Amino acid sequence: MKPHYVLGLCAIAAMLAACGGNGSVGAGTSTPGASLALRGTAATGMAISGATVSAKCRAGNGTAKTAADGSFEMTVSTGNSTAATLPCVLEVTNAADSRKLHAISINGGVINLTPLTEMLSTRLMRTSMSTVFTTPDADAIARTVTVNSSKAAQIEITQAISMMADTSKIDDFFTTPLKAAVPGSAGTGDAQDKALDNLKLNMDGKLFDPFLLMLTKAATSKDIVTLGQPGCVLTGLNGLPLPCSGPGIWVNAPKINITPGAVLLPPGGKLNFSAEMNYPPNVNYIRQPVKWVVLEPDGGSITLNGEYSAPTKAGTYHVQAQREDYPTVAVNATVVVDNNSPDFVPVLSVPGRLITLMPGASIGLRADNNYPPNVTYLANIKQPVTWSVVEADGGTITPTGLYTAPQKSGVFHVVVKRDDYPRLFITLDINVTYLED
């Protein structure tokens, strides 16, 4: 199936100098004194919430805060009678990994901020988008970003990541409306969100930046490698060859897990979180390279060593453990603060949060939980947890945790929940794929 690409240039024709013609709309025009409306979604396969989106335009600037679902709306104005005009460059920082994402708006209206828009913007401008955003050259952007050039660049990227994620059905990385999943509701996003899930899991923290670097240097589409293709090699940021094919790129990918993965605490309660991770061969760290943060501003506090103090207000909060050596690799734990919590601290954990396996393959999943004092657990009695698969076509799982993948590639989700404390649950990412070396 051939990809379809629609930039929708006529959707806001009043803002453009010409709709149609030679397809170039980079210069942009507006009614004198008019403002410019921009809206979209910031996401990486999970919504980027509570982040500031900034826009710098040919004339005018704007900022907006993303909602819980990653959506934002902003009005770009000049602050005087001069009209706000296109093109615009947008930037958002994802607090989960400190990565900046960018997009270029040439027609106003919908404009998303995702890893796909970062790739497309980078390929179009052939340089770091952080540099472009710092000192945007509206004339250069207008000359470079056109209907035809955007279409061609998206085709190149779609092919390059085709074995990592299927983006062929996304009309336009910049402007196709996006519904992102939110914490605690994995699998609720739309098809574009699922493509971002695949991209996030398959392009681990080692591949994304080298791939962007390649996009800046590739003279033609023939110079762009297809990730996952046998023999694929990128140039790493250190200048050394970096393999980008075969199961090894997932087996050896940097990982992190957090224990416990879910916990029920009284207001003001305390708990020590711990992180487990793998390391490159022959690498020794003086201390564990983990950054601990509480995602909600009112969600309590955590020390550099993972010692968490819950807030006095009941609610559901999230603690994040982020790798400092691979900042794109992070995992969250759920903290439920309840005024009626039991005398002991119920927890739920799983040994791994990311599972990679072949289509049709099976794997036994395990949950670890504690029990109230003087409660005896008998090995021949079912553990009081319930396993379920989020997606209808995401495979099957038995009551004891034996998961069987579907006969197709994709990212799916399994939820394990405590029966005795049902607000404690953990979502596992299941990456079903297989690439031969």
Side-chain angles (χ1 to χ4, degrees):
M1 178 181 296
K2 293 183 178 180
H4 301 284
Y5 303 91
V6 180
L7 283 177
L9 300 178
C10 296
I12 311 179
M15 296 180 182
L16 307 178
C19 189
N22 63 7
S24 177
V25 295
T29 60
S30 301
T31 303
S35 58
L36 179 64
L38 298 174
R39 67 186 187 280
T41 300
T44 62
M46 189 66 71
I48 301 175
S49 62
T52 298
V53 178
S54 301
K56 295 180 180 179
C57 304
R58 178 184 289 276
N61 300 306
T63 60
K65 207 81 167 178
T66 59
D69 62 356
S71 63
F72 66 90
E73 295 185 10
M74 76 166 66
T75 299
V76 177
S77 62
T78 61
N80 52 46
S81 59
T82 305
T85 55
L86 297 158
C88 300
V89 183
L90 290 84
E91 180 181 84
V92 68
T93 299
N94 182 12
D97 57 16
S98 301
R99 181 182 295 282
K100 295 182 185 297
L101 297 174
H102 302 86
I104 298 171
S105 178
I106 60 175
N107 65 331
V110 175
I111 181 71
N112 297 316
L113 288 148
T114 71
L116 291 174
T117 69
E118 182 73 10
M119 293 176 183
L120 183 54
S121 302
T122 299
R123 181 56 180 162
L124 287 165
M125 300 306 298
R126 306 292 176 93
T127 189
S128 164
M129 283 305 300
S130 292
T131 301
V132 173
F133 181 79
T134 300
T135 55
D137 183 337
D139 289 333
I141 295 172
R143 290 191 303 269
T144 304
V145 184
T146 68
V147 176
N148 292 334
S149 66
S150 295
K151 181 187 299 184
Q154 183 162 323
I155 290 174
E156 290 176 333
I157 294 168
T158 295
Q159 174 58 39
I161 64 175
S162 59
M163 301 182 75
M164 300 289 186
D166 181 9
T167 61
S168 63
K169 296 180 179 64
I170 303 175
D171 290 335
D172 177 9
F173 293 168
F174 286 144
T175 66
T176 296
L178 165 63
K179 179 185 177 183
V182 297
S185 300
T188 58
D190 60 15
Q192 186 175 180
D193 177 77
K194 288 178 172 57
L196 291 170
D197 275 337
N198 277 286
L199 198 63
K200 183 176 182 179
L201 293 178
N202 288 325
M203 285 187 69
D204 65 73
K206 296 184 295 184
L207 293 181
F208 190 81
D209 288 328
F211 181 72
L212 292 179
L213 179 63
M214 180 196 63
L215 292 178
T216 68
K217 296 181 177 301
T220 68
S221 59
K222 295 180 180 179
D223 300 317
I224 299 178
V225 303
T226 298
L227 300 181
Q229 192 174 58
C232 170
V233 176
L234 288 173
T235 300
L237 299 184
N238 58 3
L240 300 176
L242 177 67
C244 50
S245 68
I249 66 175
W250 296 284
V251 173
N252 299 318
K255 299 178 180 66
I256 188 170
N257 193 30
I258 187 171
T259 302
V263 59
L264 176 61
L265 287 173
K270 297 181 181 297
L271 182 82
N272 288 333
F273 284 96
S274 62
E276 298 175 357
M277 62 186 68
N278 60 346
Y279 300 101
N282 304 316
V283 172
N284 296 311
Y285 291 102
I286 297 176
R287 67 172 183 83
Q288 194 179 38
V290 178
K291 176 183 178 182
W292 294 96
V293 295
V294 180
L295 297 186
E296 293 80 11
D298 59 348
S301 61
I302 193 165
T303 69
L304 296 175
N305 297 320
E307 299 172 2
Y308 173 76
S309 298
T312 57
K313 179 182 177 182
T316 300
Y317 309 98
H318 299 89
V319 168
Q320 182 179 86
Q322 176 189 17
R323 290 192 64 148
E324 294 176 324
D325 49 352
Y326 296 98
T328 59
V329 181
V331 65
N332 298 343
T334 300
V335 178
V336 178
V337 177
D338 192 333
N339 292 313
N340 299 315
S341 60
D343 293 335
F344 86 113
V345 177
V347 300
L348 178 65
S349 299
V350 291
R353 297 284 284 274
L354 169 60
I355 310 297
T356 302
L357 69 165
M358 293 169 53
S362 298
I363 186 173
L365 303 178
R366 190 185 90 234
D368 298 322
N369 53 346
N370 59 350
Y371 301 95
N374 303 318
V375 172
T376 302
Y377 174 73
L378 299 178
N380 61 342
I381 297 178
K382 175 185 175 296
Q383 190 181 24
V385 298
T386 297
W387 297 90
S388 61
V389 180
V390 174
E391 296 83 5
D393 60 348
T396 60
I397 193 164
T398 68
T400 58
L402 179 62
Y403 172 78
T404 301
Q407 297 290 340
K408 63 177 183 179
S409 296
V411 176
F412 308 99
H413 303 87
V414 166
V415 173
V416 57
K417 178 185 299 186
R418 283 192 66 150
D419 296 334
D420 46 356
Y421 297 98
R423 283 189 294 172
L424 297 187
F425 66 91
I426 297 173
T427 302
L428 286 70
D429 295 319
I430 310 293
N431 184 24
V432 180
T433 185
Y434 180 71
L435 300 176
E436 295 184 353
D437 284 314

